[in-house]
Amino acid sequence: MTTIQVFDPALCCSTGVCGVETDQALVTFAADVDWAKQNGARIERFNLAQEPMMFAENASVKGFLERSGQEALPLILVDGEIALAGRYPNRAELARWAGVKEVEEAKQGGCCSGTSCC
């Protein structure tokens, strides 16, 4: 099974979705991670403020930080390989990496299956 590892910058909590002013990108990413996990994805998140040893002990992450600095986080690894840096992946990217089929949610307000109204 594919493992997606997310190395977050220093956040106030494990997801960064706390406090009075939350970053919408973190809110969206947290929801996408929950969705992916519910669909069988294996995702691990590491927060620089709370788990610095995870950053120091991973050669890929350590090298990335030495070259690019903390400002370049988040860093996403897929099966140990760098897949993305500098932004959080969207739901489609998570689905592709995890091999999860992304199903569009039913649109509200429609009455039939796209042909004519009932």
Side-chain angles (χ1 to χ4, degrees):
M1 171 177 262
T2 299
T3 299
I4 300 168
Q5 294 177 304
V6 179
F7 290 85
D8 288 300
L11 301 171
C12 59
C13 62
S14 63
T15 62
V17 183
C18 52
V20 290
E21 292 186 30
T22 57
D23 182 348
Q24 185 58 44
L26 288 170
V27 173
T28 301
F29 182 63
D32 290 345
V33 166
D34 286 343
W35 169 86
K37 285 182 174 182
Q38 289 174 6
N39 285 282
R42 188 166 151 194
I43 301 174
E44 302 170 332
R45 287 184 78 176
F46 306 103
N47 182 333
L48 182 58
Q50 298 171 350
E51 300 162 292
M53 290 307 294
M54 294 302 295
F55 290 71
E57 293 173 350
N58 184 306
S60 295
V61 176
K62 183 179 177 183
F64 174 82
L65 287 174
E66 288 171 352
R67 284 186 307 276
S68 304
Q70 296 178 43
E71 303 79 31
L73 293 173
L75 178 67
I76 307 345
L77 303 183
V78 177
D79 287 338
E81 299 291 324
I82 295 175
L84 185 64
R87 69 170 176 86
Y88 288 99
N90 58 41
R91 186 173 289 199
E93 290 166 324
L94 289 174
R96 183 175 63 249
W97 295 333
V100 173
K101 183 171 169 82
E102 188 178 10
V103 178
E104 288 188 37
E105 294 181 24
K107 296 189 190 262
Q108 298 291 334
C111 60
C112 295
S113 61
T115 53
S116 61
C117 246
C118 305

